[in-house]
Amino acid sequence: MHPPELRVRARQLHLSGASVSETARSLGLAYRTVWEWCRERPEPVVQGTGLRCFRCRADVDNPTDQPAYCYLLGLYLGDGHLVTTARVPVLRISCSEVWAGLIDACEAAMRDVLAARVQRVQQQGCVSVQSYGKHWPCLLPQHGPGRKHERPIVLTDWQRDIVAAHPGDFLRGLFHSDGCRFANRVVVRDKEYVYPRYMFTNESVDIMGLCQWALDLLGIAWRMNRRNSLSVARRGAVAALDRHVGPKF
């Protein structure tokens, strides 16, 4: 697949007076390809998510905002869904309507990563933040039929490199979707103690493993208090996670 700006460049050269053969030679393209491009009307417009998809752009290394991508990836693995059966794929992330700041942060991450437009769809008890774009499947290859906990969720090598560089942003997305920070109360010898604690709950063994991996990268202590629930409760660990995640707002 040729980048869309190359298609426009070929059209511009041809419209300026160059023959199809001259245009093909100057751009190193096949004659038939240039002929097909130049006979089309109107001139194709370079727009949409294709210009921002670094997985499809060989001329750039990685233009994506990496911290925003890691945060969005965490949100997607927690409460997201990528529909690829429609004519244009749509990424949807469900956010509780209680957390207005989370909704804003989700929309900002979508725009920073790929989206040109983002919609908010009010539903019962939540807001679905969504964006249509043909190249969302390129950046979120974990999409597939069925529920996430019923299929393997494995990061690609390029995703692991990005997350390894920004594990805190990835954890922020995970905890903002399927986690929480709350005041834990315990009573010892009739005396009540209150301390902050993080919990992350997810039915997918693979997603839970990614959360554990990211915590390990930051040296944050954790333990599994249930099969599908992870706890960060030590004072130093909570303080460290506060620097990356913090409470929802």
Side-chain angles (χ1 to χ4, degrees):
M1 179 183 295
H2 296 289
E5 61 268 28
L6 186 61
R7 187 187 188 103
V8 172
R9 178 58 180 160
R11 286 274 297 169
Q12 290 173 338
L13 286 174
H14 182 60
L15 292 174
S16 66
S19 67
V20 173
S21 297
E22 292 169 341
T23 301
R25 283 196 300 269
S26 65
L27 297 178
L29 297 168
Y31 176 91
R32 182 70 183 184
T33 298
V34 176
W35 181 82
E36 289 285 349
W37 290 352
C38 292
R39 72 171 186 157
E40 292 176 351
R41 292 186 181 183
E43 180 177 341
V45 178
V46 182
Q47 60 182 2
T49 58
L51 289 177
R52 303 185 64 192
C53 179
F54 69 90
R55 298 300 300 164
C56 297
R57 295 281 301 274
D59 58 326
V60 290
D61 293 328
N62 189 345
T64 298
D65 184 321
Q66 292 193 4
Y69 175 78
C70 289
Y71 178 60
L72 184 63
L73 177 61
L75 290 178
Y76 165 71
L77 292 179
D79 287 328
H81 179 51
L82 179 57
V83 180
T84 59
T85 54
R87 183 176 63 87
V88 178
V90 55
L91 172 64
R92 295 191 177 103
I93 296 178
S94 296
C95 302
S96 172
E97 62 183 7
V98 175
W99 312 114
L102 170 59
I103 297 171
D104 291 340
C106 178
E107 176 176 340
M110 284 187 179
R111 292 185 183 276
D112 290 341
V113 171
L114 190 71
R117 296 182 181 86
V118 179
Q119 298 86 36
R120 300 184 183 189
V121 181
Q122 181 66 52
Q123 298 177 332
Q124 185 174 1
C126 70
V127 174
S128 179
V129 183
Q130 65 180 35
S131 170
Y132 288 84
K134 293 183 178 180
H135 291 264
W136 280 121
C138 305
L139 301 187
L140 297 171
Q142 285 69 40
H143 67 87
R147 300 176 180 179
K148 297 189 190 77
H149 69 274
E150 296 174 345
R151 66 177 192 268
I153 300 294
V154 181
L155 298 186
T156 63
D157 290 341
W158 61 266
Q159 284 179 305
R160 289 186 70 88
D161 289 342
I162 295 176
V163 172
H166 306 278
D169 296 285
F170 178 62
L171 288 170
R172 187 163 63 95
L174 288 178
F175 278 91
H176 279 185
S177 57
D178 278 346
C180 64
R181 183 189 190 276
F182 63 99
N184 192 47
R185 289 176 169 81
V186 296
V187 178
V188 179
R189 297 191 182 97
D190 297 326
K191 186 175 181 179
E192 185 180 65
Y193 296 89
V194 181
Y195 61 92
R197 182 181 184 183
Y198 281 93
M199 297 284 290
F200 177 73
T201 305
N202 196 289
E203 292 295 330
S204 169
V205 175
D206 291 338
I207 294 176
M208 184 62 72
L210 291 173
C211 182
Q212 296 167 353
W213 169 61
L215 288 168
D216 289 341
L217 288 176
L218 293 174
I220 295 176
W222 55 271
R223 69 180 182 88
M224 298 297 294
N225 60 317
R226 294 197 307 273
R227 172 192 59 81
N228 62 345
S229 178
L230 177 149
S231 169
V232 176
R234 294 183 182 178
R235 180 179 300 177
V238 170
L241 200 53
D242 277 342
R243 291 194 290 270
H244 298 282
V245 179
K248 301 177 187 179
F249 60 96

